[in-house]
Amino acid sequence: MSAEQDFQQVGAELADLGVQVSRMMGSPALKDQAGKVFASLQRDGAMVFRLVRDTPEHTAALQLAGASLFDPSGQGRAMKDWVVVPHSAAEKWTDLAEAALSRPR
């Protein structure tokens, strides 16, 4: 499947938890019941998750091949709570989205 299809599948799997597929700054995003974004699909097909640093999920996500901290500016100013996970690890996306949804914002 394409990254967009995998993203849509994650949204569908979490719909029962009140998750909505939406957009943020032109990118597909997952929002919680309060309308806050906790995951987003990037142009390169990777997905970024708000996992909160120093949690087991954050650590595990960073250990996936190709994963990194999210640096939207590309200038070395990473958002330390957000982890970019490549499409090659799409089988982990639903679990990571559930973890991101469960963390307080």
Side-chain angles (χ1 to χ4, degrees):
M1 284 198 293
S2 72
E4 176 72 31
Q5 290 170 317
D6 284 331
F7 170 82
Q8 292 293 335
Q9 181 176 335
V10 171
E13 290 176 12
L14 300 181
D16 289 346
L17 299 175
V19 171
Q20 295 180 345
V21 175
S22 185
R23 296 194 80 71
M24 179 185 76
M25 297 173 61
S27 295
L30 298 179
K31 293 183 178 180
D32 63 16
Q33 289 179 332
K36 298 203 183 243
V37 172
F38 64 91
S40 178
L41 185 66
Q42 303 301 292
R43 288 184 184 94
D44 65 359
M47 203 162 161
V48 61
F49 302 91
R50 184 180 185 281
L51 293 170
V52 184
R53 73 190 98 175
D54 301 326
T55 62
E57 298 86 3
H58 187 272
T59 301
L62 282 173
Q63 292 175 350
L64 295 169
S68 63
L69 290 176
F70 183 46
D71 181 5
S73 71
Q75 297 182 6
R77 295 187 299 245
M79 298 175 72
K80 294 181 171 83
D81 286 338
W82 291 79
V83 178
V84 179
V85 178
H87 186 234
S88 60
E91 74 279 357
K92 304 284 188 187
W93 284 4
T94 298
D95 291 339
L96 292 170
E98 287 176 341
L101 178 63
S102 71
R103 293 290 175 196
R105 282 173 276 301

Coordinates of all heavy atoms in Angstrom, one line a residue:
M1 N 0.8 -1.2 0.0 CA 0.0 0.0 0.0 C 0.9 1.2 0.0 O 2.0 1.2 0.5 CB -0.9 0.0 1.2 CG -2.1 -0.9 1.2 SD -3.4 -0.6 2.4 CE -2.6 -0.9 3.9
S2 N 0.3 2.3 -0.4 CA 1.0 3.6 -0.4 C 1.0 4.2 1.0 O 0.2 3.7 1.9 CB 0.3 4.6 -1.4 OG -0.9 5.0 -0.8
A3 N 1.8 5.2 1.3 CA 1.9 5.8 2.6 C 0.5 6.4 2.9 O 0.0 6.3 4.0 CB 3.0 6.8 2.6
E4 N -0.1 7.1 1.9 CA -1.4 7.7 2.1 C -2.5 6.6 2.5 O -3.3 6.8 3.4 CB -1.9 8.4 0.9 CG -3.2 9.0 0.9 CD -3.4 10.2 1.9 OE1 -2.4 11.0 2.0 OE2 -4.4 10.4 2.4
Q5 N -2.4 5.5 1.8 CA -3.4 4.4 2.2 C -3.1 3.9 3.6 O -4.1 3.6 4.3 CB -3.3 3.3 1.1 CG -3.8 3.6 -0.2 CD -3.5 2.6 -1.3 OE1 -2.4 2.1 -1.3 NE2 -4.4 2.3 -2.1
D6 N -1.9 3.7 3.9 CA -1.5 3.2 5.3 C -2.0 4.2 6.3 O -2.5 3.9 7.4 CB 0.0 2.9 5.4 CG 0.4 1.6 4.7 OD1 -0.5 0.7 4.6 OD2 1.5 1.5 4.3
F7 N -1.8 5.5 6.0 CA -2.2 6.6 6.9 C -3.7 6.5 7.1 O -4.2 6.6 8.3 CB -1.8 7.9 6.4 CG -2.4 9.1 7.2 CD1 -1.8 9.5 8.3 CD2 -3.5 9.7 6.7 CE1 -2.4 10.6 9.0 CE2 -4.1 10.7 7.4 CZ -3.5 11.2 8.6
Q8 N -4.5 6.4 6.0 CA -5.9 6.3 6.1 C -6.4 5.1 6.9 O -7.4 5.2 7.7 CB -6.5 6.3 4.7 CG -6.4 7.6 3.9 CD -7.1 8.8 4.5 OE1 -8.2 8.6 5.2 NE2 -6.6 10.0 4.3
Q9 N -5.7 4.0 6.8 CA -6.0 2.8 7.5 C -5.8 3.0 9.0 O -6.6 2.6 9.8 CB -5.1 1.6 7.1 CG -5.5 0.3 7.8 CD -4.7 -0.8 7.2 OE1 -4.2 -0.8 6.1 NE2 -4.5 -1.8 8.1
V10 N -4.7 3.7 9.4 CA -4.5 4.0 10.8 C -5.7 4.9 11.3 O -6.2 4.6 12.4 CB -3.2 4.7 11.0 CG1 -3.0 5.3 12.5 CG2 -2.0 3.8 10.7
G11 N -6.1 5.9 10.6 CA -7.2 6.7 11.0 C -8.5 5.9 11.1 O -9.2 6.1 12.1
A12 N -8.7 5.0 10.2 CA -9.9 4.2 10.3 C -9.9 3.2 11.5 O -10.9 3.0 12.2 CB -10.1 3.3 9.0
E13 N -8.7 2.7 11.8 CA -8.6 1.8 13.0 C -8.8 2.5 14.3 O -9.2 1.9 15.3 CB -7.2 1.1 12.9 CG -7.1 0.1 11.8 CD -5.7 -0.6 11.7 OE1 -4.9 -0.4 12.6 OE2 -5.5 -1.2 10.7
L14 N -8.5 3.8 14.3 CA -8.6 4.6 15.6 C -9.9 5.4 15.6 O -10.2 6.1 16.6 CB -7.4 5.5 15.7 CG -6.1 4.8 15.8 CD1 -5.0 5.9 16.0 CD2 -6.0 3.8 16.9
A15 N -10.8 5.3 14.6 CA -12.0 6.1 14.6 C -12.9 5.8 15.8 O -13.6 6.7 16.3 CB -12.8 5.8 13.3
D16 N -12.9 4.6 16.3 CA -13.8 4.2 17.4 C -13.3 4.9 18.7 O -14.1 5.0 19.7 CB -13.8 2.7 17.7 CG -14.6 2.0 16.6 OD1 -15.3 2.6 15.9 OD2 -14.4 0.7 16.6
L17 N -12.1 5.4 18.7 CA -11.6 6.2 19.8 C -11.8 7.7 19.7 O -11.2 8.5 20.5 CB -10.1 5.9 20.0 CG -9.7 4.4 20.2 CD1 -8.2 4.3 20.3 CD2 -10.3 3.9 21.5
G18 N -12.5 8.1 18.7 CA -12.8 9.5 18.5 C -11.8 10.2 17.6 O -11.9 11.4 17.5
V19 N -10.9 9.5 17.0 CA -9.9 10.1 16.1 C -10.5 10.5 14.8 O -11.3 9.8 14.2 CB -8.7 9.1 15.9 CG1 -7.8 9.6 14.9 CG2 -8.0 8.8 17.2
Q20 N -10.1 11.7 14.4 CA -10.6 12.2 13.1 C -9.4 12.4 12.2 O -8.3 12.9 12.6 CB -11.3 13.5 13.2 CG -12.6 13.4 14.0 CD -13.3 14.7 14.2 OE1 -12.7 15.8 13.9 NE2 -14.5 14.7 14.6
V21 N -9.6 12.0 10.9 CA -8.6 12.3 9.9 C -8.9 13.8 9.4 O -10.0 14.1 9.1 CB -8.6 11.4 8.7 CG1 -7.7 11.8 7.6 CG2 -8.3 9.9 9.2
S22 N -7.8 14.6 9.4 CA -8.0 16.0 9.1 C -6.8 16.5 8.3 O -6.0 15.7 7.8 CB -8.2 16.8 10.4 OG -8.5 18.1 10.1
R23 N -6.5 17.8 8.4 CA -5.3 18.4 7.7 C -4.7 19.4 8.7 O -5.4 20.0 9.4 CB -5.7 19.0 6.4 CG -6.2 18.0 5.4 CD -6.2 18.5 4.0 NE -4.9 18.5 3.3 CZ -4.3 17.4 2.8 NH1 -4.7 16.2 3.1 NH2 -3.2 17.6 2.1
M24 N -3.4 19.5 8.6 CA -2.7 20.5 9.4 C -1.6 21.0 8.5 O -0.7 20.3 8.0 CB -2.1 19.9 10.7 CG -1.3 20.9 11.5 SD -0.5 20.3 12.9 CE 0.9 19.4 12.2
M25 N -1.6 22.3 8.2 CA -0.6 22.9 7.4 C -0.4 22.2 6.0 O 0.7 22.0 5.6 CB 0.7 23.1 8.1 CG 0.6 24.0 9.3 SD 2.0 24.0 10.4 CE 3.2 24.7 9.3
G26 N -1.5 21.7 5.5 CA -1.5 21.1 4.2 C -1.2 19.6 4.2 O -1.4 18.9 3.2
S27 N -0.9 19.1 5.4 CA -0.6 17.6 5.4 C -1.7 16.9 6.1 O -2.4 17.4 7.0 CB 0.7 17.4 6.3 OG 1.8 18.0 5.6
P28 N -2.0 15.6 5.7 CA -3.0 14.8 6.4 C -2.5 14.6 7.9 O -1.4 14.5 8.2 CB -2.9 13.5 5.7 CG -2.3 13.8 4.4 CD -1.4 14.9 4.6
A29 N -3.5 14.7 8.8 CA -3.2 14.7 10.2 C -4.3 13.9 10.9 O -5.4 13.8 10.5 CB -3.1 16.1 10.8
L30 N -3.9 13.3 12.1 CA -4.9 12.7 13.0 C -5.1 13.6 14.2 O -4.1 14.0 14.8 CB -4.3 11.3 13.5 CG -4.1 10.3 12.4 CD1 -3.5 9.0 13.0 CD2 -5.4 10.0 11.6
K31 N -6.4 13.8 14.5 CA -6.7 14.7 15.6 C -7.5 13.9 16.6 O -8.3 13.0 16.3 CB -7.5 15.9 15.1 CG -6.8 16.8 14.3 CD -7.6 18.0 13.9 CE -6.8 19.0 13.1 NZ -7.6 20.2 12.7
D32 N -7.3 14.2 17.9 CA -8.1 13.6 19.0 C -9.4 14.3 19.1 O -9.8 15.2 18.3 CB -7.3 13.7 20.3 CG -7.0 15.1 20.8 OD1 -7.7 16.0 20.4 OD2 -6.2 15.2 21.7
Q33 N -10.2 13.9 20.1 CA -11.6 14.4 20.3 C -11.6 15.9 20.5 O -12.5 16.6 20.2 CB -12.3 13.7 21.4 CG -12.6 12.2 21.0 CD -13.3 11.5 22.1 OE1 -13.1 11.8 23.3 NE2 -14.2 10.5 21.8
A34 N -10.5 16.4 21.1 CA -10.4 17.9 21.4 C -9.9 18.6 20.2 O -9.8 19.9 20.3 CB -9.5 18.1 22.6
G35 N -9.6 18.0 19.1 CA -9.1 18.6 17.9 C -7.6 18.9 17.8 O -7.1 19.6 17.0
K36 N -6.9 18.2 18.7 CA -5.4 18.4 18.8 C -4.7 17.3 17.9 O -5.0 16.2 18.1 CB -4.9 18.4 20.2 CG -5.5 19.5 21.0 CD -4.6 19.8 22.2 CE -5.3 20.9 23.0 NZ -4.6 22.1 23.1
V37 N -3.8 17.8 17.1 CA -3.0 16.8 16.3 C -2.1 16.0 17.1 O -1.3 16.6 18.0 CB -2.3 17.6 15.2 CG1 -1.4 16.7 14.4 CG2 -3.3 18.3 14.3
F38 N -2.0 14.7 16.9 CA -1.0 13.9 17.6 C -0.2 13.0 16.6 O 0.7 12.4 17.0 CB -1.7 13.0 18.6 CG -2.7 12.0 18.0 CD1 -2.3 10.7 17.6 CD2 -4.0 12.3 17.8 CE1 -3.2 9.8 17.1 CE2 -4.9 11.4 17.3 CZ -4.5 10.2 16.9
A39 N -0.6 13.1 15.3 CA 0.2 12.4 14.3 C -0.1 13.1 12.9 O -1.2 13.6 12.7 CB -0.2 10.9 14.2
S40 N 0.9 13.0 12.0 CA 0.7 13.6 10.7 C 1.5 12.8 9.7 O 2.6 12.3 10.0 CB 1.2 15.1 10.8 OG 1.1 15.7 9.6
L41 N 1.0 12.8 8.5 CA 1.7 12.2 7.3 C 2.6 13.3 6.7 O 2.1 14.4 6.4 CB 0.7 11.6 6.4 CG 1.4 10.8 5.2 CD1 2.1 9.6 5.7 CD2 0.3 10.5 4.2
Q42 N 3.8 13.0 6.4 CA 4.7 14.0 5.8 C 4.8 13.8 4.3 O 4.4 12.7 3.8 CB 6.1 13.8 6.4 CG 6.2 14.0 7.9 CD 5.6 15.3 8.3 OE1 6.3 16.4 8.0 NE2 4.5 15.4 8.9
R43 N 5.3 14.7 3.6 CA 5.3 14.7 2.1 C 6.2 13.5 1.6 O 5.9 13.0 0.5 CB 5.8 16.0 1.5 CG 4.9 17.1 1.7 CD 5.4 18.4 1.0 NE 4.4 19.5 1.2 CZ 4.5 20.3 2.2 NH1 5.5 20.2 3.1 NH2 3.6 21.3 2.4
D44 N 7.2 13.1 2.4 CA 8.1 12.0 1.9 C 7.5 10.6 2.2 O 8.2 9.6 2.0 CB 9.4 12.2 2.5 CG 9.4 12.0 4.1 OD1 8.4 11.8 4.7 OD2 10.5 12.2 4.6
G45 N 6.3 10.6 2.8 CA 5.6 9.3 3.1 C 5.9 8.8 4.5 O 5.4 7.8 4.9
A46 N 6.7 9.5 5.3 CA 6.9 9.2 6.7 C 5.7 9.7 7.5 O 5.1 10.7 7.1 CB 8.2 9.7 7.2
M47 N 5.6 9.2 8.7 CA 4.6 9.7 9.6 C 5.3 10.2 10.9 O 6.3 9.6 11.3 CB 3.6 8.5 9.9 CG 2.2 9.0 10.4 SD 1.0 7.8 10.3 CE -0.2 8.4 11.4
V48 N 4.8 11.3 11.4 CA 5.4 11.8 12.6 C 4.4 11.7 13.8 O 3.2 11.9 13.6 CB 5.8 13.3 12.4 CG1 4.7 14.2 12.0 CG2 6.5 13.9 13.6
F49 N 4.8 11.3 14.9 CA 4.0 11.0 16.1 C 4.5 11.8 17.3 O 5.7 11.9 17.6 CB 4.1 9.6 16.5 CG 3.7 8.6 15.4 CD1 4.6 8.1 14.5 CD2 2.4 8.2 15.2 CE1 4.3 7.3 13.5 CE2 2.0 7.4 14.2 CZ 2.9 6.9 13.3
R50 N 3.5 12.4 18.1 CA 3.9 13.1 19.3 C 3.9 12.0 20.4 O 2.8 11.6 20.9 CB 2.9 14.1 19.7 CG 3.3 14.9 20.9 CD 2.3 16.0 21.2 NE 2.7 16.8 22.3 CZ 2.6 16.4 23.6 NH1 2.1 15.3 24.0 NH2 3.0 17.2 24.6
L51 N 5.1 11.5 20.8 CA 5.2 10.4 21.7 C 5.7 10.8 23.1 O 5.7 10.0 24.0 CB 6.1 9.3 21.1 CG 5.5 8.7 19.9 CD1 6.6 7.8 19.2 CD2 4.3 7.8 20.2
V52 N 6.1 12.0 23.3 CA 6.6 12.5 24.6 C 7.9 11.8 24.9 O 8.0 10.6 25.1 CB 5.6 12.3 25.8 CG1 6.2 13.0 27.0 CG2 4.3 13.0 25.4
R53 N 9.0 12.7 25.0 CA 10.3 12.1 25.2 C 10.4 11.4 26.5 O 9.6 11.6 27.4 CB 11.3 13.3 25.1 CG 11.3 14.2 26.4 CD 12.1 15.4 26.2 NE 11.2 16.5 25.7 CZ 11.5 17.7 25.6 NH1 12.8 18.1 25.8 NH2 10.6 18.6 25.2
D54 N 11.3 10.5 26.6 CA 11.6 9.7 27.8 C 10.5 8.7 28.1 O 10.4 8.3 29.3 CB 12.0 10.6 29.0 CG 13.2 11.5 28.7 OD1 14.1 11.0 28.0 OD2 13.2 12.6 29.2
T55 N 9.7 8.4 27.2 CA 8.7 7.3 27.4 C 9.2 6.1 26.6 O 10.0 6.2 25.7 CB 7.3 7.7 26.9 OG1 7.4 8.0 25.5 CG2 6.8 9.0 27.6
P56 N 8.7 4.9 27.0 CA 9.1 3.7 26.3 C 8.8 3.7 24.8 O 9.6 3.3 24.0 CB 8.4 2.6 27.0 CG 8.1 3.1 28.4 CD 7.9 4.6 28.2
E57 N 7.6 4.3 24.5 CA 7.2 4.3 23.1 C 8.1 5.3 22.3 O 8.5 5.0 21.1 CB 5.8 4.8 22.9 CG 4.7 4.0 23.6 CD 4.5 4.3 25.1 OE1 5.1 5.2 25.6 OE2 3.8 3.5 25.7
H58 N 8.5 6.4 22.8 CA 9.4 7.3 22.2 C 10.8 6.7 21.9 O 11.3 6.7 20.8 CB 9.6 8.6 23.1 CG 10.3 9.7 22.5 ND1 11.7 9.8 22.6 CD2 9.9 10.8 21.8 CE1 12.1 10.9 22.0 NE2 11.0 11.5 21.5
T59 N 11.3 6.0 22.9 CA 12.6 5.3 22.8 C 12.5 4.2 21.7 O 13.4 4.1 20.9 CB 13.0 4.7 24.1 OG1 13.1 5.8 25.1 CG2 14.3 4.0 24.0
A60 N 11.4 3.4 21.8 CA 11.3 2.3 20.8 C 11.1 2.9 19.4 O 11.7 2.3 18.4 CB 10.0 1.5 21.1
A61 N 10.4 4.0 19.2 CA 10.2 4.5 17.9 C 11.5 5.0 17.3 O 11.8 4.8 16.1 CB 9.2 5.7 17.9
L62 N 12.3 5.6 18.1 CA 13.6 6.1 17.7 C 14.6 5.0 17.3 O 15.5 5.2 16.5 CB 14.3 7.0 18.7 CG 13.7 8.4 18.8 CD1 14.3 9.2 20.0 CD2 13.9 9.2 17.5
Q63 N 14.3 3.8 17.8 CA 15.2 2.7 17.5 C 14.8 2.0 16.1 O 15.6 1.2 15.6 CB 15.2 1.6 18.6 CG 15.8 2.2 19.8 CD 15.7 1.2 21.0 OE1 15.0 0.2 21.0 NE2 16.4 1.5 22.1
L64 N 13.7 2.4 15.5 CA 13.3 1.9 14.2 C 14.2 2.4 13.1 O 14.7 3.6 13.2 CB 11.9 2.2 13.9 CG 10.8 1.7 14.8 CD1 9.4 2.3 14.6 CD2 10.7 0.1 14.6
A65 N 14.6 1.6 12.2 CA 15.4 2.0 11.1 C 14.9 3.2 10.4 O 13.7 3.2 10.0 CB 15.6 0.8 10.1
G66 N 15.7 4.2 10.3 CA 15.3 5.4 9.5 C 14.5 6.4 10.4 O 14.1 7.5 9.9
A67 N 14.2 6.1 11.6 CA 13.4 7.1 12.5 C 14.3 8.2 13.0 O 15.5 8.0 13.2 CB 12.8 6.3 13.6
S68 N 13.7 9.3 13.3 CA 14.5 10.4 13.8 C 13.6 11.4 14.5 O 12.3 11.3 14.4 CB 15.2 11.2 12.7 OG 14.2 11.7 11.8
L69 N 14.2 12.3 15.3 CA 13.4 13.4 15.9 C 12.9 14.3 14.8 O 13.6 14.5 13.8 CB 14.2 14.2 16.9 CG 14.6 13.5 18.2 CD1 15.5 14.4 19.0 CD2 13.3 13.1 19.0
F70 N 11.7 14.9 14.9 CA 11.1 15.7 13.9 C 11.7 17.1 14.0 O 11.7 17.8 15.0 CB 9.6 15.8 14.2 CG 8.8 16.6 13.2 CD1 9.0 16.4 11.9 CD2 7.8 17.5 13.7 CE1 8.2 17.1 10.9 CE2 7.1 18.2 12.8 CZ 7.3 18.0 11.4
D71 N 12.2 17.5 12.8 CA 12.9 18.8 12.7 C 12.2 19.5 11.5 O 12.7 19.5 10.4 CB 14.4 18.7 12.5 CG 15.1 20.0 12.3 OD1 14.4 21.1 12.5 OD2 16.3 20.0 12.0
P72 N 11.0 20.2 11.7 CA 10.3 20.7 10.6 C 11.1 21.8 9.8 O 10.9 22.0 8.7 CB 9.0 21.3 11.2 CG 9.3 21.4 12.6 CD 10.4 20.4 13.0
S73 N 11.9 22.5 10.5 CA 12.7 23.6 9.9 C 13.9 23.1 9.1 O 14.4 23.8 8.2 CB 13.2 24.6 10.9 OG 14.2 24.1 11.7
G74 N 14.4 21.9 9.4 CA 15.5 21.3 8.8 C 16.8 22.0 9.2 O 17.9 21.9 8.6
Q75 N 16.8 22.8 10.3 CA 17.9 23.6 10.7 C 18.4 23.2 12.1 O 19.0 24.0 12.9 CB 17.6 25.0 10.7 CG 17.2 25.5 9.3 CD 16.9 27.0 9.3 OE1 17.1 27.7 10.3 NE2 16.5 27.5 8.1
G76 N 18.2 21.9 12.5 CA 18.8 21.4 13.7 C 18.0 21.8 15.0 O 18.5 21.8 16.1
R77 N 16.7 22.1 14.8 CA 15.9 22.5 15.9 C 14.7 21.5 16.1 O 13.6 21.8 15.8 CB 15.3 23.9 15.8 CG 16.4 25.0 15.8 CD 15.8 26.4 15.8 NE 15.0 26.6 14.6 CZ 15.3 27.5 13.7 NH1 16.4 28.2 13.8 NH2 14.6 27.7 12.6
A78 N 15.1 20.3 16.5 CA 14.2 19.2 16.6 C 13.1 19.4 17.6 O 13.4 20.0 18.7 CB 14.9 17.9 16.8
M79 N 11.9 19.0 17.4 CA 10.8 19.0 18.4 C 11.0 17.6 19.1 O 10.6 16.6 18.5 CB 9.5 19.1 17.6 CG 9.4 20.4 16.9 SD 7.8 20.5 15.9 CE 6.6 20.7 17.2
K80 N 11.5 17.6 20.3 CA 11.9 16.4 20.9 C 10.8 15.5 21.3 O 11.1 14.3 21.6 CB 12.8 16.8 22.1 CG 14.1 17.5 21.7 CD 15.0 17.8 22.9 CE 16.3 18.2 22.4 NZ 16.5 19.5 22.1
D81 N 9.6 15.9 21.4 CA 8.5 15.0 21.7 C 8.0 14.3 20.4 O 7.2 13.3 20.6 CB 7.3 15.7 22.3 CG 7.6 16.1 23.8 OD1 8.5 15.5 24.4 OD2 6.9 17.1 24.3
W82 N 8.4 14.7 19.3 CA 7.8 14.2 18.0 C 8.9 13.3 17.3 O 10.1 13.7 17.2 CB 7.4 15.4 17.1 CG 6.2 16.1 17.6 CD1 6.2 17.1 18.6 CD2 4.9 16.0 17.1 NE1 5.0 17.5 18.8 CE2 4.1 16.9 17.9 CE3 4.3 15.2 16.2 CZ2 2.7 17.0 17.7 CZ3 2.9 15.3 16.0 CH2 2.2 16.2 16.7
V83 N 8.4 12.2 16.8 CA 9.3 11.2 16.2 C 8.8 10.9 14.8 O 7.6 10.6 14.6 CB 9.4 9.9 17.0 CG1 10.3 8.9 16.2 CG2 10.0 10.1 18.4
V84 N 9.7 11.0 13.8 CA 9.4 10.7 12.4 C 9.7 9.2 12.2 O 10.8 8.7 12.5 CB 10.2 11.5 11.4 CG1 9.9 11.2 10.0 CG2 10.1 13.0 11.7
V85 N 8.7 8.5 11.7 CA 8.8 7.0 11.4 C 8.6 6.8 9.9 O 7.5 7.2 9.4 CB 7.9 6.2 12.3 CG1 8.0 4.7 12.0 CG2 8.1 6.5 13.8
P86 N 9.6 6.2 9.2 CA 9.4 6.1 7.8 C 8.3 5.1 7.4 O 7.9 4.3 8.2 CB 10.8 5.6 7.3 CG 11.4 4.9 8.5 CD 10.8 5.7 9.7
H87 N 7.9 5.2 6.1 CA 6.9 4.3 5.6 C 7.3 2.8 5.7 O 6.5 1.9 5.8 CB 6.5 4.6 4.2 CG 5.4 3.9 3.7 ND1 5.4 3.2 2.5 CD2 4.1 3.6 4.2 CE1 4.3 2.6 2.3 NE2 3.5 2.8 3.3
S88 N 8.6 2.6 5.6 CA 9.1 1.2 5.7 C 8.7 0.5 7.1 O 8.8 -0.7 7.2 CB 10.7 1.2 5.6 OG 11.3 1.9 6.5
A89 N 8.4 1.3 8.1 CA 7.9 0.8 9.4 C 6.4 1.0 9.6 O 5.9 1.1 10.7 CB 8.7 1.4 10.5
A90 N 5.7 1.0 8.5 CA 4.2 1.3 8.5 C 3.5 0.3 9.4 O 2.4 0.6 10.0 CB 3.6 1.4 7.1
E91 N 4.0 -0.9 9.6 CA 3.3 -1.9 10.4 C 3.3 -1.5 11.9 O 2.5 -2.0 12.6 CB 3.9 -3.3 10.2 CG 5.3 -3.4 10.9 CD 6.5 -2.9 10.2 OE1 6.3 -2.4 9.0 OE2 7.6 -2.9 10.7
K92 N 4.1 -0.5 12.2 CA 4.2 0.0 13.6 C 3.3 1.3 13.8 O 3.1 1.7 14.9 CB 5.6 0.4 14.0 CG 6.6 -0.7 13.9 CD 6.4 -1.7 15.0 CE 7.6 -2.7 14.9 NZ 7.4 -3.8 15.9
W93 N 2.8 1.9 12.7 CA 2.1 3.1 12.8 C 0.9 3.1 13.7 O 0.7 4.1 14.4 CB 1.7 3.6 11.4 CG 2.9 4.2 10.6 CD1 4.2 4.2 10.9 CD2 2.8 4.7 9.3 NE1 4.9 4.8 9.9 CE2 4.1 5.1 8.9 CE3 1.7 5.0 8.4 CZ2 4.3 5.7 7.7 CZ3 2.0 5.6 7.2 CH2 3.3 5.9 6.8
T94 N 0.1 2.1 13.6 CA -1.1 2.1 14.4 C -0.8 2.1 15.9 O -1.4 2.8 16.7 CB -2.1 0.9 14.1 OG1 -2.5 1.0 12.7 CG2 -3.3 0.9 14.9
D95 N 0.2 1.2 16.3 CA 0.6 1.1 17.7 C 1.1 2.5 18.2 O 0.9 2.9 19.3 CB 1.6 0.0 17.9 CG 1.0 -1.4 17.7 OD1 -0.2 -1.5 17.9 OD2 1.8 -2.3 17.5
L96 N 1.9 3.1 17.3 CA 2.5 4.4 17.7 C 1.5 5.5 17.8 O 1.5 6.3 18.7 CB 3.6 4.8 16.7 CG 4.9 3.9 16.7 CD1 5.8 4.2 15.5 CD2 5.6 4.1 18.0
A97 N 0.5 5.4 16.9 CA -0.6 6.4 16.9 C -1.4 6.2 18.2 O -1.8 7.2 18.8 CB -1.5 6.3 15.7
E98 N -1.7 5.0 18.6 CA -2.4 4.7 19.8 C -1.6 5.3 21.0 O -2.2 5.9 21.9 CB -2.7 3.2 20.0 CG -3.8 2.7 19.1 CD -3.9 1.2 19.2 OE1 -3.0 0.5 19.7 OE2 -5.0 0.7 18.8
A99 N -0.3 5.1 21.0 CA 0.5 5.6 22.1 C 0.5 7.1 22.1 O 0.4 7.7 23.2 CB 2.0 5.1 22.0
A100 N 0.6 7.7 21.0 CA 0.5 9.2 20.9 C -0.8 9.7 21.4 O -0.9 10.8 22.0 CB 0.8 9.7 19.5
L101 N -1.9 9.1 21.0 CA -3.2 9.5 21.4 C -3.4 9.4 22.9 O -4.0 10.2 23.6 CB -4.3 8.6 20.7 CG -5.7 8.9 21.1 CD1 -6.1 10.3 20.7 CD2 -6.6 7.8 20.4
S102 N -2.7 8.4 23.5 CA -2.9 8.2 25.0 C -2.1 9.1 25.9 O -2.4 9.2 27.1 CB -2.6 6.7 25.3 OG -1.1 6.5 25.3
R103 N -1.1 9.8 25.3 CA -0.3 10.7 26.1 C -1.0 12.1 26.2 O -1.5 12.6 25.3 CB 1.1 11.0 25.4 CG 1.9 9.7 25.3 CD 2.4 9.4 26.7 NE 3.1 8.1 26.7 CZ 3.4 7.4 27.8 NH1 3.0 7.9 28.9 NH2 4.1 6.3 27.7
P104 N -0.9 12.6 27.4 CA -1.5 14.0 27.7 C -0.8 15.0 26.8 O 0.4 14.9 26.6 CB -1.2 14.2 29.1 CG -0.2 13.3 29.6 CD -0.2 12.1 28.6
R105 N -1.5 16.0 26.4 CA -1.0 17.1 25.6 C -1.1 18.4 26.3 O -1.9 18.7 27.1 CB -1.7 17.2 24.2 CG -1.2 16.1 23.3 CD -1.9 16.0 22.0 NE -3.2 15.2 22.1 CZ -3.2 13.9 22.4 NH1 -2.2 13.3 22.8 NH2 -4.3 13.3 22.3

